[in-house]
């Protein structure tokens, strides 16, 4: 898939534009969906269906006093929210939205994704540490421990798919699902990847680093204005990213009946998973911190290893 | 795991439930008559002021938002010279209504009293006094009180018998 230079920039810019708008639009989507599941209406006053709430939120974030505490480490404090945005946006580089709509056709696509999501932990740690606030630091430590431990088996859960497809390239992985979506042979892998993905984006119910009842707001206690906004939008970008990854890895990516264009299939499937993220938030309570770690290390990690072992065995047996 | 899936499914089913929200400015909720909203001063059936300036409401008020001064007219009826409620302090507890012996001060189901200027939340007597009897119609304190005021002597009130002549030996 060789791309000419102008087309390449068009795709990169297009992906960036769409993703930023999707992330902003998710503010509205999440509030409406949560309201739907909690028998409320949600925003419905500003503009049609309350859609201008996104505009209002953006304006508010832009015009709020953007205050840096005098006790904070200024440089790191400013850089931290940018890191989360950068790493998540860079991860979108490897997502195949449709045949031909892919920013970089990396042979090590999945490794790049894992590397970038590991970098995301920096944002939390540095943000919490630079705030020089005990609650922020506690939130950052909890977040870092959670993200790092859930990342271990997030990568391992993916390896089942890699074994079946025989490639780290996401385009090849999607192509390998023409016969059967990988969610069928890799059901355990999918469940584990999804749980790890929720923990990775520190979304509810795994929003341990933010736990507003215990830690005020966790690692972003001291943030205000658009610097907080970057954390906020970064979280929505993370949701979109994990949903895109789940679709590409386990649900056949852009594949689907021919009556809709491939991009639409991809977007539809992604939206389903974004909705599940929101449904999770609407229905589940937050686990205690030790429960979270115990669940990760004692149940999910052995299960992942077992899944990997069995998958590898079956693949070897089939090839003989 | 199953219970997690179950709770997610049950939450999802709420998508088909009726929404509980009342779209407020268009649809207004029906408030019961004992809702503790805006405070008013009521009048008796003869359109006289019910308040006799006994200060019990001000004494009962936990946030001290009621301030009044009682005075008397020429017939001996007591009434408040001024009556002031600072609604920026009022907590709408209803203690004033409970303390009032003459049903004068009443809380009514009206809560739409927002102001842009805090000073406008201080209600004077002319803002509080309404042309009606409120929740307790037909009650007139001076008609049942055994008090001699202009136009009514001792023993002339409703359900009141003639005063006993304590200096007489007759039964």
């Amino acid at each position: 898939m060789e791309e000419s230079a102008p087309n390449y920039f068009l795709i990169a810019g297009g992906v960036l534009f769409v993703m930023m708008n999707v992330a902003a639009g998710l503010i509205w989507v999440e509030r409406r969906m949560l309201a739907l599941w909690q028998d409320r209406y949600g925003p419905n006053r500003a503009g049609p269906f309350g859609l201008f709430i996104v505009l209002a939120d953006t304006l508010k974030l832009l015009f709020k006093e953007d205050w840096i505490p005098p006790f904070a480490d200024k440089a790191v404090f400013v850089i931290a929210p940018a890191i989360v945005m950068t790493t998540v946006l860079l991860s979108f580089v490897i997502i195949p939205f449709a045949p031909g709509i892919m920013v970089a056709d990396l042979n090590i696509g999945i490794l790049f994704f894992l590397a970038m999501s590991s970098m995301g932990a920096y944002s939390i740690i540095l943000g919490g540490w630079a705030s020089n606030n005990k609650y922020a630091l506690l939130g950052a430590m909890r977040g870092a421990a959670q993200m790092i431990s859930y990342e271990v088996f997030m990568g391992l859960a993916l390896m089942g798919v890699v074994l079946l497809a025989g490639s780290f390239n996401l385009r090849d992985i999607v192509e390998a699902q023409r016969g059967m979506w990988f969610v069928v042979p890799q059901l355990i892998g999918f469940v584990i990847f999804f749980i790890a993905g929720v923990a990775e984006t520190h979304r509810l119910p795994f929003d341990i680093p933010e736990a507003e009842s215990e830690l005020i707001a966790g690692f972003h206690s001291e943030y205000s204005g658009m610097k907080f906004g970057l954390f906020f939008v970064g979280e929505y970008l993370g949701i979109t990213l994990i949903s895109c990854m789940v679709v590409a890895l386990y649900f056949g990516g852009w594949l689907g009946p021919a009556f809709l264009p491939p991009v639409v299939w991809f977007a539809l499937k992604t939206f389903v998973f974004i909705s599940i993220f929101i449904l999770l938030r609407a229905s589940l309570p937050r686990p205690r911190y030790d429960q979270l770690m115990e669940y990760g290390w004692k149940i999910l990690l052995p299960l992942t290893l077992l899944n990997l072992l069995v998958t590898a065995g079956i693949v070897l047996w089939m090839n003989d | 795991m199953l219970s997690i899936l179950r709770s997610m499914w049950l939450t999802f089913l709420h998508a088909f439930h009726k929404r509980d929200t009342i779209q407020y400015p268009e649809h207004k909720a029906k408030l019961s008559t004992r809702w503790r909203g805006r405070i008013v001063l009521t009048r008796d059936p003869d359109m006289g002021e019910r308040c006799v300036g006994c200060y019990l409401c001000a004494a009962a008020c936990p946030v001290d938002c009621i301030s009044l001064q009682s005075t008397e007219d020429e017939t001996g009826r007591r009434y408040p010279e001024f009556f002031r409620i600072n609604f920026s302090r009022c907590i709408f507890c209803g203690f004033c209504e409970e303390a009032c012996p003459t049903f004068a001060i009443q809380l009514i189901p009206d809560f739409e009293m927002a102001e842009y200027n805090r000073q406008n939340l201080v209600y004077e007597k002319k803002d509080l006094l309404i042309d009606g009897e409120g929740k307790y119609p037909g009650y007139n304190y001076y008609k049942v009180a055994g008090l001699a005021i202009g136009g009514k002597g001792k023993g002339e009130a409703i359900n009141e018998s003639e005063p006993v002549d304590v200096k007489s030996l007759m039964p």
Side-chain angles (χ1 to χ4, degrees):
Chain A
M1 196 173 295
E2 286 298 311
E3 303 284 355
S4 56
N7 200 1
Y8 175 81
F9 281 115
L10 197 69
I11 290 174
V15 168
L16 189 65
F17 178 77
V18 169
M19 281 311 144
M20 292 307 286
N21 280 303
V22 163
L26 277 181
I27 299 171
W28 176 81
V29 171
E30 169 150 46
R31 290 181 63 180
R32 286 294 292 210
M33 298 286 258
L34 276 181
L36 178 69
W37 287 317
Q38 291 166 355
D39 299 343
R40 299 181 286 120
Y41 281 97
N44 64 349
R45 295 297 155 132
F49 301 107
L51 266 169
F52 291 171
I53 205 88
V54 178
L55 198 68
D57 270 348
T58 317
L59 283 176
K60 183 190 76 183
L61 283 174
L62 282 173
F63 286 105
K64 264 179 92 162
E65 185 185 1
D66 201 357
W67 191 66
I68 300 176
F71 46 80
D73 185 331
K74 214 169 258 177
V76 184
F77 188 84
V78 174
I79 288 170
I83 292 176
V84 67
M85 285 293 279
T86 318
T87 56
V88 177
L89 280 175
L90 274 176
S91 305
F92 278 107
V93 158
I94 51 116
I95 304 280
F97 295 98
I101 306 185
M102 187 177 185
V103 179
D105 197 1
L106 288 179
N107 279 332
I108 49 154
I110 289 181
L111 285 184
F112 184 78
F113 160 76
L114 290 174
M116 278 302 142
S117 58
S118 315
M119 293 278 288
Y122 269 113
S123 158
I124 288 187
I125 301 171
L126 291 180
W129 175 77
S131 298
N132 204 357
N133 167 330
K134 286 186 183 66
Y135 288 110
L137 187 63
L138 277 173
M141 282 165 63
R142 288 165 68 152
Q146 169 189 330
M147 285 177 83
I148 289 170
S149 52
Y150 274 70
E151 198 148 297
V152 170
F153 47 84
M154 180 191 223
L156 284 172
L158 288 181
M159 289 310 123
V161 171
V162 174
L163 276 171
L164 287 175
S167 170
F168 277 104
N169 187 327
L170 272 166
R171 192 163 51 84
D172 295 345
I173 289 175
V174 174
E175 286 294 338
Q177 297 177 61
R178 280 214 181 273
M180 180 170 48
W181 288 357
F182 282 155
V183 69
V184 182
Q186 282 293 309
L187 184 62
I188 300 173
F190 156 67
V191 171
I192 292 169
F193 178 77
F194 190 73
I195 293 172
V198 176
E200 185 72 22
T201 51
H202 43 87
R203 278 284 298 181
L204 288 100
F206 296 138
D207 67 333
I208 297 286
E210 313 182 11
E212 69 282 341
S213 45
E214 306 133 59
L215 296 176
I216 311 172
F219 63 94
H220 57 57
S221 299
E222 298 288 354
Y223 281 89
S224 56
M226 211 55 207
K227 283 202 276 299
F228 165 77
L230 285 188
F231 278 125
F232 192 62
V233 175
E235 185 179 306
Y236 285 117
L237 275 177
I239 296 171
T240 320
L241 175 69
I242 297 292
S243 305
C244 285
M245 283 301 285
V246 166
V247 169
L249 289 167
Y250 294 99
F251 285 84
W254 67 75
L255 300 175
F259 57 84
L260 282 178
V263 188
V264 177
W265 277 115
F266 193 90
L268 274 179
K269 290 174 186 174
T270 307
F271 181 71
V272 168
F273 281 98
I274 291 175
S275 308
I276 292 179
F277 264 96
I278 298 169
L279 179 61
L280 267 173
R281 173 175 183 176
S283 45
L284 295 184
R286 181 189 302 135
R288 228 167 45 222
Y289 182 61
D290 58 312
Q291 288 172 334
L292 176 93
M293 297 307 271
E294 196 177 316
Y295 185 59
W297 287 111
K298 286 190 182 164
I299 300 174
L300 290 183
L301 182 65
L303 208 61
T304 319
L305 291 172
L306 201 69
N307 177 46
L308 189 60
L309 192 71
V310 173
T311 312
I314 290 174
V315 167
L316 271 179
W317 182 62
M318 297 281 273
N319 284 358
D320 274 350
Chain B
M1 191 73 202
L2 274 179
S3 74
I4 287 175
L5 290 178
R6 182 171 167 273
S7 56
M8 281 173 72
W9 172 246
L10 289 178
T11 313
F12 175 75
L13 285 183
H14 271 267
F16 308 107
H17 285 204
K18 197 172 156 294
R19 310 201 196 208
D20 292 334
T21 314
I22 293 168
Q23 300 275 356
Y24 160 60
E26 293 93 30
H27 303 108
K28 304 209 164 156
K30 178 89 180 68
L31 298 175
S32 89
T33 46
R34 53 181 211 174
W35 172 275
R36 298 198 298 261
R38 186 161 68 91
I39 299 176
V40 292
L41 287 176
T42 56
R43 292 176 184 274
D44 57 31
D46 306 332
M47 288 300 125
E49 283 179 46
R50 265 180 179 159
C51 178
V52 295
C54 65
Y55 301 102
L56 280 176
C57 51
C61 183
V63 291
D64 284 346
C65 69
I66 301 177
S67 145
L68 72 154
Q69 172 66 55
S70 80
T71 184
E72 270 182 28
D73 66 5
E74 58 279 5
T75 63
R77 282 173 177 256
R78 284 165 64 98
Y79 69 96
E81 191 179 352
F82 68 81
F83 199 105
R84 189 176 296 143
I85 297 182
N86 184 353
F87 277 107
S88 65
R89 299 187 63 158
C90 180
I91 57 172
F92 301 97
C93 61
F95 284 3
C96 49
E97 184 178 10
E98 283 179 36
C100 184
T102 62
F103 291 150
I105 191 164
Q106 292 179 13
L107 282 80
I108 60 170
D110 171 22
F111 56 90
E112 294 161 325
M113 42 195 305
E115 296 282 354
Y116 283 105
N117 189 346
R118 185 172 290 252
Q119 204 58 41
N120 295 342
L121 282 167
V122 178
Y123 280 37
E124 293 293 340
K125 190 167 143 186
K126 64 178 182 338
D127 309 312
L128 295 164
L129 201 60
I130 61 168
D131 283 335
E133 302 167 68
K135 291 181 274 189
Y136 307 101
Y139 179 75
N140 191 334
Y141 169 72
Y142 280 113
K143 286 266 172 65
V144 292
L147 192 70
I149 47 157
K152 188 189 71 139
K154 281 260 182 204
E156 289 173 20
I158 302 165
N159 295 332
E160 192 187 17
S161 43
E162 282 290 309
V164 177
D165 184 0
V166 290
K167 294 179 178 150
S168 160
L169 286 175
M170 297 302 289

